[in-house]
mmCIF file of all heavy atoms in Angstrom:
data_model
loop_
_atom_site.group_PDB
_atom_site.id
_atom_site.type_symbol
_atom_site.label_atom_id
_atom_site.label_comp_id
_atom_site.label_asym_id
_atom_site.label_seq_id
_atom_site.Cartn_x
_atom_site.Cartn_y
_atom_site.Cartn_z
ATOM 1 N N GLU A 1 -38.141 52.951 13.297
ATOM 2 C CA GLU A 1 -36.855 52.324 13.567
ATOM 3 C C GLU A 1 -36.887 51.474 14.828
ATOM 4 O O GLU A 1 -36.261 50.422 14.894
ATOM 5 C CB GLU A 1 -35.756 53.388 13.677
ATOM 6 C CG GLU A 1 -35.513 54.181 12.408
ATOM 7 C CD GLU A 1 -35.063 53.286 11.261
ATOM 8 O OE1 GLU A 1 -34.374 52.287 11.529
ATOM 9 O OE2 GLU A 1 -35.396 53.594 10.108
ATOM 10 N N ALA A 2 -37.599 51.932 15.838
ATOM 11 C CA ALA A 2 -37.685 51.166 17.083
ATOM 12 C C ALA A 2 -38.409 49.842 16.849
ATOM 13 O O ALA A 2 -38.011 48.793 17.385
ATOM 14 C CB ALA A 2 -38.398 51.978 18.159
ATOM 15 N N ILE A 3 -39.460 49.870 16.055
ATOM 16 C CA ILE A 3 -40.183 48.631 15.757
ATOM 17 C C ILE A 3 -39.300 47.685 14.953
ATOM 18 O O ILE A 3 -39.252 46.479 15.209
ATOM 19 C CB ILE A 3 -41.487 48.947 15.008
ATOM 20 C CG1 ILE A 3 -42.456 49.709 15.932
ATOM 21 C CG2 ILE A 3 -42.144 47.669 14.489
ATOM 22 C CD1 ILE A 3 -43.745 50.126 15.268
ATOM 23 N N LEU A 4 -38.576 48.233 13.971
ATOM 24 C CA LEU A 4 -37.670 47.402 13.184
ATOM 25 C C LEU A 4 -36.594 46.787 14.072
ATOM 26 O O LEU A 4 -36.305 45.587 13.975
ATOM 27 C CB LEU A 4 -37.026 48.233 12.072
ATOM 28 C CG LEU A 4 -35.961 47.519 11.236
ATOM 29 C CD1 LEU A 4 -36.535 46.280 10.560
ATOM 30 C CD2 LEU A 4 -35.355 48.466 10.201
ATOM 31 N N ARG A 5 -36.017 47.586 14.936
ATOM 32 C CA ARG A 5 -34.984 47.077 15.831
ATOM 33 C C ARG A 5 -35.548 45.968 16.741
ATOM 34 O O ARG A 5 -34.871 44.981 17.020
ATOM 35 C CB ARG A 5 -34.408 48.224 16.660
ATOM 36 C CG ARG A 5 -33.308 47.836 17.648
ATOM 37 C CD ARG A 5 -32.094 47.260 16.949
ATOM 38 N NE ARG A 5 -31.450 48.164 16.039
ATOM 39 C CZ ARG A 5 -30.381 48.904 16.348
ATOM 40 N NH1 ARG A 5 -29.875 48.844 17.560
ATOM 41 N NH2 ARG A 5 -29.814 49.674 15.449
ATOM 42 N N HIS A 6 -36.783 46.145 17.181
ATOM 43 C CA HIS A 6 -37.410 45.135 18.030
ATOM 44 C C HIS A 6 -37.612 43.822 17.262
ATOM 45 O O HIS A 6 -37.373 42.730 17.797
ATOM 46 C CB HIS A 6 -38.746 45.657 18.553
ATOM 47 C CG HIS A 6 -39.348 44.815 19.629
ATOM 48 N ND1 HIS A 6 -38.696 44.524 20.802
ATOM 49 C CD2 HIS A 6 -40.555 44.182 19.703
ATOM 50 C CE1 HIS A 6 -39.457 43.759 21.562
ATOM 51 N NE2 HIS A 6 -40.589 43.531 20.912
ATOM 52 N N VAL A 7 -38.033 43.914 16.003
ATOM 53 C CA VAL A 7 -38.218 42.719 15.181
ATOM 54 C C VAL A 7 -36.874 42.012 14.951
ATOM 55 O O VAL A 7 -36.790 40.781 14.971
ATOM 56 C CB VAL A 7 -38.884 43.079 13.844
ATOM 57 C CG1 VAL A 7 -38.904 41.871 12.909
ATOM 58 C CG2 VAL A 7 -40.306 43.586 14.069
ATOM 59 N N LEU A 8 -35.818 42.789 14.740
ATOM 60 C CA LEU A 8 -34.495 42.191 14.557
ATOM 61 C C LEU A 8 -34.058 41.442 15.813
ATOM 62 O O LEU A 8 -33.465 40.357 15.733
ATOM 63 C CB LEU A 8 -33.471 43.269 14.202
ATOM 64 C CG LEU A 8 -33.681 44.012 12.882
ATOM 65 C CD1 LEU A 8 -32.550 44.993 12.639
ATOM 66 C CD2 LEU A 8 -33.793 43.038 11.722
ATOM 67 N N SER A 9 -34.334 42.009 16.975
ATOM 68 C CA SER A 9 -33.969 41.331 18.226
ATOM 69 C C SER A 9 -34.730 40.014 18.361
ATOM 70 O O SER A 9 -34.197 39.029 18.879
ATOM 71 C CB SER A 9 -34.242 42.243 19.424
ATOM 72 O OG SER A 9 -35.630 42.412 19.647
ATOM 73 N N ILE A 10 -35.975 39.988 17.878
ATOM 74 C CA ILE A 10 -36.756 38.752 17.915
ATOM 75 C C ILE A 10 -36.114 37.700 17.016
ATOM 76 O O ILE A 10 -35.995 36.520 17.381
ATOM 77 C CB ILE A 10 -38.213 39.024 17.485
ATOM 78 C CG1 ILE A 10 -38.911 39.911 18.516
ATOM 79 C CG2 ILE A 10 -38.983 37.719 17.295
ATOM 80 C CD1 ILE A 10 -40.266 40.427 18.062
ATOM 81 N N ASN A 11 -35.673 38.107 15.836
ATOM 82 C CA ASN A 11 -35.030 37.171 14.923
ATOM 83 C C ASN A 11 -33.707 36.659 15.484
ATOM 84 O O ASN A 11 -33.378 35.475 15.337
ATOM 85 C CB ASN A 11 -34.804 37.839 13.566
ATOM 86 C CG ASN A 11 -36.045 37.842 12.702
ATOM 87 O OD1 ASN A 11 -36.281 36.928 11.922
ATOM 88 N ND2 ASN A 11 -36.848 38.886 12.827
ATOM 89 N N GLU A 12 -32.927 37.532 16.111
ATOM 90 C CA GLU A 12 -31.678 37.089 16.722
ATOM 91 C C GLU A 12 -31.946 36.107 17.864
ATOM 92 O O GLU A 12 -31.241 35.105 18.017
ATOM 93 C CB GLU A 12 -30.902 38.304 17.248
ATOM 94 C CG GLU A 12 -30.347 39.207 16.162
ATOM 95 C CD GLU A 12 -29.297 38.513 15.325
ATOM 96 O OE1 GLU A 12 -28.340 37.950 15.898
ATOM 97 O OE2 GLU A 12 -29.431 38.512 14.084
ATOM 98 N N ASP A 13 -32.960 36.412 18.651
ATOM 99 C CA ASP A 13 -33.330 35.509 19.739
ATOM 100 C C ASP A 13 -33.802 34.164 19.186
ATOM 101 O O ASP A 13 -33.526 33.100 19.760
ATOM 102 C CB ASP A 13 -34.429 36.159 20.587
ATOM 103 C CG ASP A 13 -34.670 35.413 21.895
ATOM 104 O OD1 ASP A 13 -33.785 34.645 22.319
ATOM 105 O OD2 ASP A 13 -35.735 35.611 22.502
ATOM 106 N N GLY A 14 -34.500 34.211 18.050
ATOM 107 C CA GLY A 14 -34.969 32.974 17.432
ATOM 108 C C GLY A 14 -33.820 32.069 17.014
ATOM 109 O O GLY A 14 -33.874 30.845 17.198
ATOM 110 N N GLN A 15 -32.763 32.634 16.441
ATOM 111 C CA GLN A 15 -31.601 31.835 16.059
ATOM 112 C C GLN A 15 -30.946 31.205 17.284
ATOM 113 O O GLN A 15 -30.517 30.039 17.251
ATOM 114 C CB GLN A 15 -30.590 32.703 15.311
ATOM 115 C CG GLN A 15 -31.084 33.199 13.976
ATOM 116 C CD GLN A 15 -29.996 33.877 13.166
ATOM 117 O OE1 GLN A 15 -28.925 33.343 12.959
ATOM 118 N NE2 GLN A 15 -30.276 35.091 12.716
ATOM 119 N N LYS A 16 -30.879 31.974 18.350
ATOM 120 C CA LYS A 16 -30.296 31.453 19.590
ATOM 121 C C LYS A 16 -31.127 30.299 20.139
ATOM 122 O O LYS A 16 -30.588 29.280 20.597
ATOM 123 C CB LYS A 16 -30.208 32.587 20.617
ATOM 124 C CG LYS A 16 -29.520 32.225 21.918
ATOM 125 C CD LYS A 16 -29.440 33.429 22.828
ATOM 126 C CE LYS A 16 -28.784 33.066 24.156
ATOM 127 N NZ LYS A 16 -28.718 34.251 25.071
ATOM 128 N N ARG A 17 -32.442 30.422 20.085
ATOM 129 C CA ARG A 17 -33.317 29.355 20.576
ATOM 130 C C ARG A 17 -33.214 28.101 19.698
ATOM 131 O O ARG A 17 -33.326 26.974 20.202
ATOM 132 C CB ARG A 17 -34.770 29.850 20.618
ATOM 133 C CG ARG A 17 -35.023 30.879 21.709
ATOM 134 C CD ARG A 17 -36.403 31.506 21.591
ATOM 135 N NE ARG A 17 -36.627 32.510 22.625
ATOM 136 C CZ ARG A 17 -37.204 32.258 23.809
ATOM 137 N NH1 ARG A 17 -37.630 31.039 24.086
ATOM 138 N NH2 ARG A 17 -37.357 33.222 24.689
ATOM 139 N N CYS A 18 -32.997 28.285 18.403
ATOM 140 C CA CYS A 18 -32.821 27.131 17.522
ATOM 141 C C CYS A 18 -31.580 26.337 17.926
ATOM 142 O O CYS A 18 -31.593 25.095 17.933
ATOM 143 C CB CYS A 18 -32.701 27.589 16.068
ATOM 144 S SG CYS A 18 -34.261 28.121 15.321
ATOM 145 N N GLU A 19 -30.487 27.042 18.233
ATOM 146 C CA GLU A 19 -29.271 26.367 18.666
ATOM 147 C C GLU A 19 -29.509 25.587 19.961
ATOM 148 O O GLU A 19 -29.029 24.450 20.114
ATOM 149 C CB GLU A 19 -28.161 27.394 18.868
ATOM 150 C CG GLU A 19 -27.735 28.096 17.589
ATOM 151 C CD GLU A 19 -26.722 29.196 17.855
ATOM 152 O OE1 GLU A 19 -26.198 29.252 18.987
ATOM 153 O OE2 GLU A 19 -26.449 29.987 16.943
ATOM 154 N N GLU A 20 -30.248 26.191 20.881
ATOM 155 C CA GLU A 20 -30.531 25.508 22.147
ATOM 156 C C GLU A 20 -31.393 24.269 21.921
ATOM 157 O O GLU A 20 -31.152 23.217 22.522
ATOM 158 C CB GLU A 20 -31.221 26.487 23.106
ATOM 159 C CG GLU A 20 -30.337 27.657 23.530
ATOM 160 C CD GLU A 20 -31.102 28.712 24.294
ATOM 161 O OE1 GLU A 20 -32.350 28.605 24.344
ATOM 162 O OE2 GLU A 20 -30.469 29.647 24.825
ATOM 163 N N ASN A 21 -32.384 24.379 21.039
ATOM 164 C CA ASN A 21 -33.254 23.233 20.774
ATOM 165 C C ASN A 21 -32.522 22.117 20.029
ATOM 166 O O ASN A 21 -32.861 20.940 20.163
ATOM 167 C CB ASN A 21 -34.489 23.675 19.981
ATOM 168 C CG ASN A 21 -35.504 24.387 20.858
ATOM 169 O OD1 ASN A 21 -35.181 24.814 21.962
ATOM 170 N ND2 ASN A 21 -36.727 24.509 20.383
ATOM 171 N N THR A 22 -31.520 22.488 19.218
ATOM 172 C CA THR A 22 -30.699 21.477 18.550
ATOM 173 C C THR A 22 -30.015 20.585 19.574
ATOM 174 O O THR A 22 -29.940 19.362 19.422
ATOM 175 C CB THR A 22 -29.651 22.150 17.644
ATOM 176 O OG1 THR A 22 -30.319 22.840 16.583
ATOM 177 C CG2 THR A 22 -28.713 21.119 17.040
ATOM 178 N N LYS A 23 -29.518 21.186 20.641
ATOM 179 C CA LYS A 23 -28.871 20.412 21.705
ATOM 180 C C LYS A 23 -29.899 19.586 22.482
ATOM 181 O O LYS A 23 -29.646 18.431 22.822
ATOM 182 C CB LYS A 23 -28.133 21.354 22.655
ATOM 183 C CG LYS A 23 -27.037 22.168 21.999
ATOM 184 C CD LYS A 23 -26.429 23.152 22.983
ATOM 185 C CE LYS A 23 -25.404 24.043 22.320
ATOM 186 N NZ LYS A 23 -24.837 25.049 23.255
ATOM 187 N N VAL A 24 -31.060 20.185 22.739
ATOM 188 C CA VAL A 24 -32.072 19.503 23.554
ATOM 189 C C VAL A 24 -32.647 18.287 22.831
ATOM 190 O O VAL A 24 -32.775 17.200 23.422
ATOM 191 C CB VAL A 24 -33.207 20.485 23.936
ATOM 192 C CG1 VAL A 24 -34.364 19.743 24.590
ATOM 193 C CG2 VAL A 24 -32.678 21.577 24.857
ATOM 194 N N PHE A 25 -32.978 18.441 21.550
ATOM 195 C CA PHE A 25 -33.665 17.375 20.825
ATOM 196 C C PHE A 25 -32.707 16.432 20.106
ATOM 197 O O PHE A 25 -33.133 15.407 19.575
ATOM 198 C CB PHE A 25 -34.655 17.975 19.816
ATOM 199 C CG PHE A 25 -35.838 18.639 20.457
ATOM 200 C CD1 PHE A 25 -35.846 20.014 20.678
ATOM 201 C CD2 PHE A 25 -36.934 17.901 20.872
ATOM 202 C CE1 PHE A 25 -36.929 20.639 21.278
ATOM 203 C CE2 PHE A 25 -38.021 18.510 21.468
ATOM 204 C CZ PHE A 25 -38.020 19.883 21.683
ATOM 205 N N GLY A 26 -31.418 16.777 20.059
ATOM 206 C CA GLY A 26 -30.450 15.884 19.441
ATOM 207 C C GLY A 26 -30.559 15.784 17.938
ATOM 208 O O GLY A 26 -30.115 14.808 17.336
ATOM 209 N N ARG A 27 -31.149 16.785 17.298
ATOM 210 C CA ARG A 27 -31.239 16.822 15.840
ATOM 211 C C ARG A 27 -31.224 18.285 15.402
ATOM 212 O O ARG A 27 -31.513 19.177 16.192
ATOM 213 C CB ARG A 27 -32.506 16.131 15.347
ATOM 214 C CG ARG A 27 -33.803 16.777 15.806
ATOM 215 C CD ARG A 27 -35.020 16.065 15.224
ATOM 216 N NE ARG A 27 -36.266 16.728 15.569
ATOM 217 C CZ ARG A 27 -36.964 16.497 16.673
ATOM 218 N NH1 ARG A 27 -36.512 15.607 17.561
ATOM 219 N NH2 ARG A 27 -38.099 17.134 16.906
ATOM 220 N N PRO A 28 -30.883 18.551 14.153
ATOM 221 C CA PRO A 28 -30.771 19.948 13.713
ATOM 222 C C PRO A 28 -32.111 20.682 13.761
ATOM 223 O O PRO A 28 -33.095 20.240 13.164
ATOM 224 C CB PRO A 28 -30.269 19.829 12.270
ATOM 225 C CG PRO A 28 -29.668 18.474 12.183
ATOM 226 C CD PRO A 28 -30.455 17.608 13.108
ATOM 227 N N ILE A 29 -32.143 21.794 14.474
ATOM 228 C CA ILE A 29 -33.294 22.707 14.486
ATOM 229 C C ILE A 29 -32.772 24.037 13.962
ATOM 230 O O ILE A 29 -32.036 24.742 14.647
ATOM 231 C CB ILE A 29 -33.878 22.887 15.901
ATOM 232 C CG1 ILE A 29 -34.212 21.536 16.541
ATOM 233 C CG2 ILE A 29 -35.108 23.782 15.855
ATOM 234 C CD1 ILE A 29 -35.324 20.777 15.874
ATOM 235 N N THR A 30 -33.123 24.373 12.734
ATOM 236 C CA THR A 30 -32.543 25.555 12.094
ATOM 237 C C THR A 30 -33.560 26.651 11.814
ATOM 238 O O THR A 30 -33.204 27.697 11.259
ATOM 239 C CB THR A 30 -31.869 25.155 10.769
ATOM 240 O OG1 THR A 30 -32.840 24.561 9.894
ATOM 241 C CG2 THR A 30 -30.752 24.152 11.017
ATOM 242 N N SER A 31 -34.823 26.433 12.160
ATOM 243 C CA SER A 31 -35.849 27.445 11.883
ATOM 244 C C SER A 31 -36.901 27.396 12.974
ATOM 245 O O SER A 31 -36.922 26.485 13.796
ATOM 246 C CB SER A 31 -36.485 27.203 10.508
ATOM 247 O OG SER A 31 -37.077 25.914 10.456
ATOM 248 N N TRP A 32 -37.760 28.390 12.985
ATOM 249 C CA TRP A 32 -38.824 28.422 13.986
ATOM 250 C C TRP A 32 -40.195 28.528 13.325
ATOM 251 O O TRP A 32 -40.307 28.802 12.126
ATOM 252 C CB TRP A 32 -38.621 29.576 14.973
ATOM 253 C CG TRP A 32 -38.503 30.944 14.363
ATOM 254 C CD1 TRP A 32 -39.510 31.769 13.989
ATOM 255 C CD2 TRP A 32 -37.290 31.635 14.067
ATOM 256 N NE1 TRP A 32 -39.008 32.945 13.482
ATOM 257 C CE2 TRP A 32 -37.648 32.893 13.524
ATOM 258 C CE3 TRP A 32 -35.950 31.332 14.219
ATOM 259 C CZ2 TRP A 32 -36.691 33.827 13.121
ATOM 260 C CZ3 TRP A 32 -34.998 32.256 13.821
ATOM 261 C CH2 TRP A 32 -35.381 33.487 13.283
ATOM 262 N N THR A 33 -41.218 28.327 14.124
ATOM 263 C CA THR A 33 -42.603 28.413 13.654
ATOM 264 C C THR A 33 -43.242 29.679 14.208
ATOM 265 O O THR A 33 -43.026 30.025 15.370
ATOM 266 C CB THR A 33 -43.404 27.178 14.100
ATOM 267 O OG1 THR A 33 -42.897 26.026 13.436
ATOM 268 C CG2 THR A 33 -44.886 27.325 13.771
ATOM 269 N N CYS A 34 -43.996 30.337 13.368
ATOM 270 C CA CYS A 34 -44.688 31.558 13.797
ATOM 271 C C CYS A 34 -46.201 31.346 13.665
ATOM 272 O O CYS A 34 -46.689 30.912 12.618
ATOM 273 C CB CYS A 34 -44.243 32.752 12.953
ATOM 274 S SG CYS A 34 -44.953 34.333 13.481
ATOM 275 N N LEU A 35 -46.913 31.621 14.737
ATOM 276 C CA LEU A 35 -48.369 31.530 14.761
ATOM 277 C C LEU A 35 -48.931 32.945 14.838
ATOM 278 O O LEU A 35 -48.687 33.671 15.801
ATOM 279 C CB LEU A 35 -48.836 30.701 15.959
ATOM 280 C CG LEU A 35 -50.342 30.660 16.250
ATOM 281 C CD1 LEU A 35 -51.101 30.076 15.064
ATOM 282 C CD2 LEU A 35 -50.621 29.866 17.510
ATOM 283 N N VAL A 36 -49.668 33.349 13.805
ATOM 284 C CA VAL A 36 -50.208 34.710 13.724
ATOM 285 C C VAL A 36 -51.722 34.655 13.882
ATOM 286 O O VAL A 36 -52.426 34.010 13.088
ATOM 287 C CB VAL A 36 -49.833 35.373 12.383
ATOM 288 C CG1 VAL A 36 -50.396 36.794 12.330
ATOM 289 C CG2 VAL A 36 -48.327 35.399 12.188
ATOM 290 N N ASP A 37 -52.207 35.344 14.897
ATOM 291 C CA ASP A 37 -53.649 35.432 15.146
ATOM 292 C C ASP A 37 -54.152 36.766 14.608
ATOM 293 O O ASP A 37 -53.711 37.837 15.043
ATOM 294 C CB ASP A 37 -53.921 35.319 16.645
ATOM 295 C CG ASP A 37 -55.405 35.433 16.963
ATOM 296 O OD1 ASP A 37 -56.226 35.233 16.050
ATOM 297 O OD2 ASP A 37 -55.733 35.737 18.136
#
């Protein structure tokens, strides 16, 4: 449950960052990129 809750917080933070980038870049940013090593 703790790991799941942590992943959910990452997704919520991702949505917040998309909104911020929409303002910064002046165009809709509605998703993020994930790089998995």
Side-chain angles (χ1 to χ4, degrees):
E1 297 299 327
I3 293 177
L4 175 59
R5 180 62 62 97
H6 191 57
V7 172
L8 296 183
S9 70
I10 293 170
N11 279 269
E12 291 295 308
D13 192 19
Q15 294 189 52
K16 185 178 178 181
R17 289 171 181 267
C18 286
E19 295 175 12
E20 295 171 351
N21 284 16
T22 295
K23 299 176 184 178
V24 171
F25 291 96
R27 63 178 184 273
I29 306 294
T30 59
S31 59
W32 56 83
T33 293
C34 184
L35 172 60
V36 181
D37 179 19

